[in-house]
Amino acid sequence: MIRTNEEKLVEFLLQCQPGQPRTRGNWEVDHQGTPFILPSIGGITLNIQAGDSAFGWEGDHIEPGVSCTADTLKPFEHPNVGLQVYSCAGNRATVMTGEAKGAEGTVLGHHGGSEHVIVDFSRDVKEKLLYNDTIIIRGRGQGLKLVDYPDIVPFNLDPRLLHAMKIREAEGGVLEVPVTTIVPPVCMGSGIGSAHVAKGDYDIMTSDPETVEEFGLDNIRLGDFVALMDHDNRYGRAYRKGAVSIGIVVHSNCLEAGHGPGVTTLMTAASPLIRPVLDPEADIADRLGFGTQLNPGRKGGGGKKSK
Protein backbone atom coordinates (compact mmCIF):
# COMPACT_ATOMS: atom_id res chain seq x y z
CA MET A 1 0.00 0.00 0.00
CA ILE A 2 1.27 3.46 -0.90
CA ARG A 3 2.32 5.32 2.23
CA THR A 4 0.55 8.62 2.87
CA ASN A 5 0.06 11.24 5.56
CA GLU A 6 -3.67 10.47 5.75
CA GLU A 7 -3.67 10.22 9.56
CA LYS A 8 -2.78 13.94 9.61
CA LEU A 9 -5.51 15.11 7.25
CA VAL A 10 -8.20 17.48 8.49
CA GLU A 11 -11.79 16.25 8.06
CA PHE A 12 -14.66 18.74 7.83
CA LEU A 13 -18.40 18.29 7.84
CA LEU A 14 -19.56 20.25 4.78
CA GLN A 15 -23.22 21.19 4.44
CA CYS A 16 -24.91 21.58 1.08
CA GLN A 17 -28.12 20.93 -0.82
CA PRO A 18 -29.10 19.95 -4.36
CA GLY A 19 -28.93 22.83 -6.86
CA GLN A 20 -31.77 23.41 -9.31
CA PRO A 21 -31.06 22.78 -13.00
CA ARG A 22 -29.74 25.91 -14.67
CA THR A 23 -30.35 27.39 -18.11
CA ARG A 24 -29.33 30.59 -19.83
CA GLY A 25 -32.90 30.91 -21.03
CA ASN A 26 -31.83 31.55 -24.61
CA TRP A 27 -30.19 29.87 -27.56
CA GLU A 28 -26.66 28.53 -27.22
CA VAL A 29 -24.47 27.73 -30.21
CA ASP A 30 -22.38 24.61 -30.82
CA HIS A 31 -18.92 24.50 -32.41
CA GLN A 32 -20.54 24.04 -35.85
CA GLY A 33 -22.60 27.22 -35.45
CA THR A 34 -25.88 25.39 -34.80
CA PRO A 35 -28.14 26.89 -32.10
CA PHE A 36 -29.57 24.59 -29.42
CA ILE A 37 -31.62 24.57 -26.22
CA LEU A 38 -30.91 21.43 -24.18
CA PRO A 39 -30.59 20.24 -20.57
CA SER A 40 -27.34 21.37 -18.98
CA ILE A 41 -25.76 21.88 -15.55
CA GLY A 42 -27.31 21.33 -12.15
CA GLY A 43 -30.23 19.35 -10.88
CA ILE A 44 -31.06 15.97 -9.40
CA THR A 45 -30.33 14.00 -12.56
CA LEU A 46 -32.35 10.83 -12.19
CA ASN A 47 -31.21 8.70 -15.11
CA ILE A 48 -27.45 9.42 -15.30
CA GLN A 49 -24.83 8.24 -12.83
CA ALA A 50 -21.16 7.33 -12.46
CA GLY A 51 -20.19 4.57 -14.87
CA ASP A 52 -22.57 5.73 -17.61
CA SER A 53 -21.17 6.96 -20.90
CA ALA A 54 -20.13 10.61 -21.04
CA PHE A 55 -21.42 10.68 -24.64
CA GLY A 56 -24.74 10.36 -26.43
CA TRP A 57 -26.99 12.33 -24.09
CA GLU A 58 -29.32 15.04 -25.40
CA GLY A 59 -27.61 17.63 -23.26
CA ASP A 60 -24.55 19.79 -22.72
CA HIS A 61 -22.29 19.69 -19.61
CA ILE A 62 -24.64 17.20 -17.92
CA GLU A 63 -23.65 16.58 -14.29
CA PRO A 64 -24.47 13.01 -13.18
CA GLY A 65 -26.20 12.31 -9.91
CA VAL A 66 -26.86 15.28 -7.63
CA SER A 67 -25.33 18.72 -8.22
CA CYS A 68 -24.68 20.18 -4.78
CA THR A 69 -24.16 23.75 -3.63
CA ALA A 70 -23.87 25.58 -0.32
CA ASP A 71 -25.44 28.73 -1.80
CA THR A 72 -26.76 28.57 -5.35
CA LEU A 73 -27.20 32.38 -5.45
CA LYS A 74 -23.58 33.08 -4.50
CA PRO A 75 -21.54 30.35 -6.19
CA PHE A 76 -18.21 32.22 -5.98
CA GLU A 77 -18.49 33.29 -2.34
CA HIS A 78 -18.32 31.73 1.12
CA PRO A 79 -19.54 29.13 1.99
CA ASN A 80 -19.73 27.65 -1.50
CA VAL A 81 -16.02 28.18 -2.17
CA GLY A 82 -15.16 26.17 0.95
CA LEU A 83 -17.54 23.41 -0.12
CA GLN A 84 -15.79 23.26 -3.50
CA VAL A 85 -12.23 23.25 -2.19
CA TYR A 86 -12.70 20.81 0.68
CA SER A 87 -14.91 18.25 -1.10
CA CYS A 88 -12.75 15.51 -2.61
CA ALA A 89 -13.41 12.64 -4.98
CA GLY A 90 -14.32 9.57 -2.94
CA ASN A 91 -15.71 11.52 0.03
CA ARG A 92 -18.82 10.07 1.63
CA ALA A 93 -22.03 12.09 1.53
CA THR A 94 -25.12 11.54 3.71
CA VAL A 95 -28.65 12.85 3.32
CA MET A 96 -29.70 14.37 6.64
CA THR A 97 -33.35 15.34 6.01
CA GLY A 98 -36.51 14.24 4.26
CA GLU A 99 -37.61 10.89 2.88
CA ALA A 100 -34.06 9.94 1.88
CA LYS A 101 -32.60 10.66 5.32
CA GLY A 102 -29.66 8.39 6.10
CA ALA A 103 -28.91 7.49 2.48
CA GLU A 104 -25.24 7.60 1.49
CA GLY A 105 -23.54 8.66 -1.70
CA THR A 106 -20.06 9.39 -3.03
CA VAL A 107 -18.46 12.60 -4.28
CA LEU A 108 -17.16 12.41 -7.87
CA GLY A 109 -15.54 15.83 -8.00
CA HIS A 110 -16.38 19.46 -8.72
CA HIS A 111 -17.44 21.36 -11.82
CA GLY A 112 -16.08 24.86 -12.41
CA GLY A 113 -18.38 27.56 -13.73
CA SER A 114 -21.43 25.98 -12.17
CA GLU A 115 -19.40 25.67 -8.93
CA HIS A 116 -21.17 22.42 -8.11
CA VAL A 117 -19.94 19.42 -6.17
CA ILE A 118 -21.12 16.29 -7.99
CA VAL A 119 -22.41 13.53 -5.70
CA ASP A 120 -23.55 10.10 -6.87
CA PHE A 121 -26.61 8.59 -5.21
CA SER A 122 -28.64 5.61 -6.41
CA ARG A 123 -31.79 6.39 -8.38
CA ASP A 124 -34.13 5.27 -5.61
CA VAL A 125 -32.48 7.82 -3.31
CA LYS A 126 -32.64 10.59 -5.91
CA GLU A 127 -36.36 9.94 -6.40
CA LYS A 128 -36.90 10.87 -2.73
CA LEU A 129 -34.74 14.00 -2.63
CA LEU A 130 -36.00 17.59 -2.54
CA TYR A 131 -34.04 20.70 -3.45
CA ASN A 132 -34.19 21.93 0.14
CA ASP A 133 -32.85 18.69 1.62
CA THR A 134 -29.58 18.90 3.53
CA ILE A 135 -26.60 16.79 2.52
CA ILE A 136 -23.47 16.48 4.66
CA ILE A 137 -20.15 15.65 2.97
CA ARG A 138 -17.21 14.38 5.01
CA GLY A 139 -14.59 16.58 3.38
CA ARG A 140 -11.21 14.89 3.60
CA GLY A 141 -8.28 14.79 1.21
CA GLN A 142 -6.79 18.23 0.57
CA GLY A 143 -3.22 18.16 1.87
CA LEU A 144 -2.76 14.49 1.06
CA LYS A 145 0.87 13.56 0.41
CA LEU A 146 2.52 10.45 -0.96
CA VAL A 147 5.34 9.93 1.52
CA ASP A 148 7.73 8.12 -0.83
CA TYR A 149 6.78 10.18 -3.91
CA PRO A 150 7.15 13.86 -2.97
CA ASP A 151 7.17 15.03 -6.60
CA ILE A 152 3.76 13.50 -7.29
CA VAL A 153 1.15 15.88 -5.90
CA PRO A 154 -2.42 14.73 -5.10
CA PHE A 155 -5.39 17.09 -5.20
CA ASN A 156 -9.08 16.55 -4.45
CA LEU A 157 -8.46 12.90 -3.54
CA ASP A 158 -9.90 11.01 -0.57
CA PRO A 159 -7.35 8.43 0.66
CA ARG A 160 -9.93 5.65 0.41
CA LEU A 161 -10.23 6.31 -3.33
CA LEU A 162 -6.45 6.51 -3.72
CA HIS A 163 -6.11 3.04 -2.19
CA ALA A 164 -8.89 1.68 -4.41
CA MET A 165 -7.38 2.92 -7.69
CA LYS A 166 -5.03 -0.11 -7.96
CA ILE A 167 -1.94 2.05 -8.40
CA ARG A 168 1.29 0.07 -8.64
CA GLU A 169 4.77 1.10 -7.53
CA ALA A 170 7.40 0.69 -10.25
CA GLU A 171 11.15 1.17 -10.37
CA GLY A 172 12.70 4.62 -10.52
CA GLY A 173 10.19 6.32 -8.27
CA VAL A 174 7.39 5.86 -10.81
CA LEU A 175 3.73 5.12 -10.05
CA GLU A 176 1.73 3.15 -12.59
CA VAL A 177 -1.82 4.49 -12.54
CA PRO A 178 -4.67 2.61 -14.25
CA VAL A 179 -6.73 4.84 -16.56
CA THR A 180 -9.32 4.17 -19.23
CA THR A 181 -8.03 6.81 -21.62
CA ILE A 182 -4.80 8.61 -22.47
CA VAL A 183 -5.62 12.16 -23.57
CA PRO A 184 -3.19 14.07 -25.83
CA PRO A 185 -2.26 17.58 -24.62
CA VAL A 186 -3.78 19.30 -27.63
CA CYS A 187 -7.26 18.20 -26.53
CA MET A 188 -7.32 20.07 -23.21
CA GLY A 189 -9.50 23.17 -23.44
CA SER A 190 -11.81 25.19 -21.21
CA GLY A 191 -10.24 25.70 -17.78
CA ILE A 192 -6.59 25.95 -18.86
CA GLY A 193 -4.77 28.75 -17.05
CA SER A 194 -6.70 28.51 -13.79
CA ALA A 195 -4.61 29.57 -10.80
CA HIS A 196 -5.07 26.26 -8.98
CA VAL A 197 -6.90 22.94 -9.31
CA ALA A 198 -8.32 22.57 -5.78
CA LYS A 199 -11.74 23.32 -7.23
CA GLY A 200 -13.35 23.21 -10.64
CA ASP A 201 -12.37 21.17 -13.68
CA TYR A 202 -11.17 21.47 -17.23
CA ASP A 203 -12.46 19.96 -20.42
CA ILE A 204 -11.29 17.41 -22.97
CA MET A 205 -12.18 19.05 -26.28
CA THR A 206 -14.07 16.73 -28.64
CA SER A 207 -14.71 18.97 -31.65
CA ASP A 208 -12.33 17.05 -33.98
CA PRO A 209 -13.87 13.68 -34.97
CA GLU A 210 -10.58 12.14 -36.14
CA THR A 211 -8.87 12.84 -32.82
CA VAL A 212 -11.86 11.54 -30.89
CA GLU A 213 -11.69 8.29 -32.83
CA GLU A 214 -7.89 7.96 -32.69
CA PHE A 215 -7.74 8.23 -28.90
CA GLY A 216 -11.08 6.56 -28.10
CA LEU A 217 -12.37 9.68 -26.38
CA ASP A 218 -15.98 8.74 -27.10
CA ASN A 219 -15.50 5.63 -24.93
CA ILE A 220 -15.05 7.78 -21.81
CA ARG A 221 -17.49 7.11 -18.98
CA LEU A 222 -18.52 9.41 -16.16
CA GLY A 223 -16.22 8.69 -13.24
CA ASP A 224 -13.38 7.40 -15.43
CA PHE A 225 -9.79 8.00 -14.41
CA VAL A 226 -7.98 9.55 -17.38
CA ALA A 227 -4.37 10.59 -18.05
CA LEU A 228 -3.73 14.11 -19.32
CA MET A 229 -0.37 13.98 -21.06
CA ASP A 230 2.09 16.90 -20.97
CA HIS A 231 -0.14 18.76 -18.51
CA ASP A 232 1.24 20.06 -15.23
CA ASN A 233 -1.48 20.80 -12.66
CA ARG A 234 0.71 21.62 -9.64
CA TYR A 235 0.18 25.41 -9.73
CA GLY A 236 -2.73 25.70 -12.10
CA ARG A 237 -3.43 24.03 -15.42
CA ALA A 238 -0.62 24.40 -17.93
CA TYR A 239 1.19 22.62 -20.76
CA ARG A 240 4.59 21.20 -19.79
CA LYS A 241 6.32 18.58 -21.93
CA GLY A 242 6.80 15.35 -19.96
CA ALA A 243 4.31 16.22 -17.25
CA VAL A 244 1.41 13.88 -16.48
CA SER A 245 -1.84 14.58 -14.64
CA ILE A 246 -4.54 12.09 -13.62
CA GLY A 247 -8.13 13.23 -13.35
CA ILE A 248 -11.68 11.97 -12.93
CA VAL A 249 -14.47 12.72 -15.42
CA VAL A 250 -17.26 14.70 -13.74
CA HIS A 251 -19.58 15.85 -16.53
CA SER A 252 -20.74 14.80 -19.96
CA ASN A 253 -19.54 15.73 -23.41
CA CYS A 254 -20.42 19.22 -24.62
CA LEU A 255 -21.53 20.92 -27.81
CA GLU A 256 -19.88 24.29 -27.24
CA ALA A 257 -16.47 25.11 -28.74
CA GLY A 258 -13.53 24.42 -26.43
CA HIS A 259 -15.49 22.02 -24.26
CA GLY A 260 -16.05 18.30 -23.72
CA PRO A 261 -16.01 15.85 -20.81
CA GLY A 262 -14.91 17.72 -17.68
CA VAL A 263 -12.00 16.48 -15.57
CA THR A 264 -11.26 17.17 -11.89
CA THR A 265 -7.55 16.73 -11.11
CA LEU A 266 -6.55 13.89 -8.75
CA MET A 267 -2.74 13.88 -9.01
CA THR A 268 -0.01 15.52 -11.06
CA ALA A 269 3.74 15.48 -11.67
CA ALA A 270 5.93 17.85 -13.69
CA SER A 271 8.02 14.94 -15.04
CA PRO A 272 7.11 11.40 -16.16
CA LEU A 273 6.84 9.99 -12.63
CA ILE A 274 3.26 8.94 -13.35
CA ARG A 275 2.95 6.17 -15.93
CA PRO A 276 -0.61 5.67 -17.17
CA VAL A 277 -1.62 2.06 -17.78
CA LEU A 278 -4.75 1.35 -19.80
CA ASP A 279 -7.34 -0.50 -17.78
CA PRO A 280 -11.01 -0.64 -18.85
CA GLU A 281 -12.03 -1.00 -15.20
CA ALA A 282 -10.50 2.30 -14.08
CA ASP A 283 -13.68 4.09 -13.04
CA ILE A 284 -14.78 5.22 -9.57
CA ALA A 285 -18.05 3.31 -9.93
CA ASP A 286 -16.23 0.02 -10.43
CA ARG A 287 -13.47 0.72 -7.92
CA LEU A 288 -15.84 1.67 -5.08
CA GLY A 289 -18.79 -0.50 -6.09
CA PHE A 290 -21.67 1.83 -6.98
CA GLY A 291 -23.31 3.38 -10.05
CA THR A 292 -23.23 1.62 -13.42
CA GLN A 293 -20.69 -1.21 -13.27
CA LEU A 294 -19.90 -3.36 -16.26
CA ASN A 295 -19.05 -6.28 -13.96
CA PRO A 296 -21.28 -5.66 -10.94
CA GLY A 297 -20.80 -9.15 -9.56
CA ARG A 298 -17.06 -8.64 -9.18
CA LYS A 299 -15.55 -6.03 -6.89
CA GLY A 300 -13.46 -3.53 -8.81
CA GLY A 301 -14.55 -4.59 -12.31
CA GLY A 302 -15.97 -2.77 -15.31
CA GLY A 303 -15.29 -0.08 -17.86
CA LYS A 304 -15.08 0.37 -21.59
CA LYS A 305 -11.76 -0.22 -23.25
CA SER A 306 -10.12 2.83 -24.75
CA LYS A 307 -7.66 2.92 -27.60
Side-chain angles (χ1 to χ4, degrees):
M1 182 177 291
I2 296 172
R3 295 198 303 149
T4 74
N5 66 334
E6 58 193 89
E7 74 282 356
K8 302 294 185 181
L9 295 180
V10 176
E11 185 173 14
F12 287 129
L13 292 181
L14 305 171
Q15 183 170 316
C16 55
Q17 61 188 38
Q20 293 272 4
R22 295 190 193 178
T23 176
R24 293 178 183 173
N26 208 332
W27 292 104
E28 297 184 63
V29 180
D30 71 12
H31 58 80
Q32 302 286 4
T34 305
F36 66 89
I37 296 176
L38 288 169
S40 187
I41 61 176
I44 300 168
T45 308
L46 294 175
N47 62 328
I48 306 176
Q49 60 187 353
D52 288 341
S53 176
F55 287 76
W57 302 101
E58 296 294 343
D60 182 89
H61 289 85
I62 299 299
E63 300 169 346
V66 180
S67 303
C68 294
T69 176
D71 189 339
T72 191
L73 299 179
K74 297 179 180 179
F76 299 99
E77 299 180 26
H78 175 76
N80 201 53
V81 173
L83 173 69
Q84 287 283 306
V85 170
Y86 297 130
S87 295
C88 294
N91 285 168
R92 292 179 171 87
T94 306
V95 182
M96 305 301 291
T97 59
E99 287 189 44
K101 183 177 180 179
E104 293 196 349
T106 302
V107 173
L108 301 187
H110 22 72
H111 182 191
S114 69
E115 304 304 303
H116 288 154
V117 172
I118 315 302
V119 182
D120 190 283
F121 289 99
S122 62
R123 176 157 185 156
D124 64 324
V125 172
K126 290 184 286 188
E127 294 274 9
K128 298 174 184 176
L129 284 173
L130 299 176
Y131 284 99
N132 62 356
D133 275 330
T134 297
I135 295 171
I136 291 292
I137 294 171
R138 292 185 175 273
R140 180 172 180 252
Q142 298 296 23
L144 181 65
K145 295 178 182 177
L146 310 183
V147 174
D148 300 313
Y149 302 89
D151 294 324
I152 299 177
V153 185
F155 287 98
N156 315 309
L157 182 57
D158 189 308
R160 79 166 179 134
L161 180 56
L162 170 72
H163 297 312
M165 290 172 69
K166 299 189 177 182
I167 297 171
R168 297 182 292 270
E169 298 181 86
E171 294 181 357
V174 172
L175 289 182
E176 294 183 340
V177 181
V179 298
T180 67
T181 310
I182 296 175
V183 182
V186 69
C187 284
M188 297 315 297
S190 177
I192 285 179
S194 296
H196 67 81
V197 298
K199 71 181 186 75
D201 69 315
Y202 68 142
D203 288 9
I204 302 169
M205 294 187 291
T206 54
S207 53
D208 183 65
E210 291 185 7
T211 304
V212 169
E213 181 178 3
E214 179 182 357
F215 292 94
L217 302 182
D218 54 352
N219 287 333
I220 289 173
R221 296 188 299 154
L222 298 162
D224 272 2
F225 306 127
V226 297
L228 314 178
M229 305 307 293
D230 297 323
H231 272 254
D232 179 4
N233 281 192
R234 294 173 304 157
Y235 305 108
R237 303 182 181 107
Y239 173 84
R240 183 187 296 270
K241 192 172 182 179
V244 182
S245 293
I246 303 295
I248 183 171
V249 176
V250 296
H251 70 67
S252 77
N253 189 37
C254 310
L255 302 176
E256 295 179 315
H259 294 264
V263 179
T264 292
T265 301
L266 298 182
M267 62 176 63
T268 186
S271 58
L273 295 175
I274 298 173
R275 182 183 300 148
V277 178
L278 287 176
D279 180 351
E281 300 178 355
D283 187 283
I284 191 173
D286 298 290
R287 293 302 197 235
L288 294 184
F290 64 89
T292 301
Q293 303 167 61
L294 294 189
N295 293 299
R298 180 167 64 86
K299 184 178 180 181
K304 288 187 179 179
K305 189 171 185 177
S306 300
K307 295 184 178 180

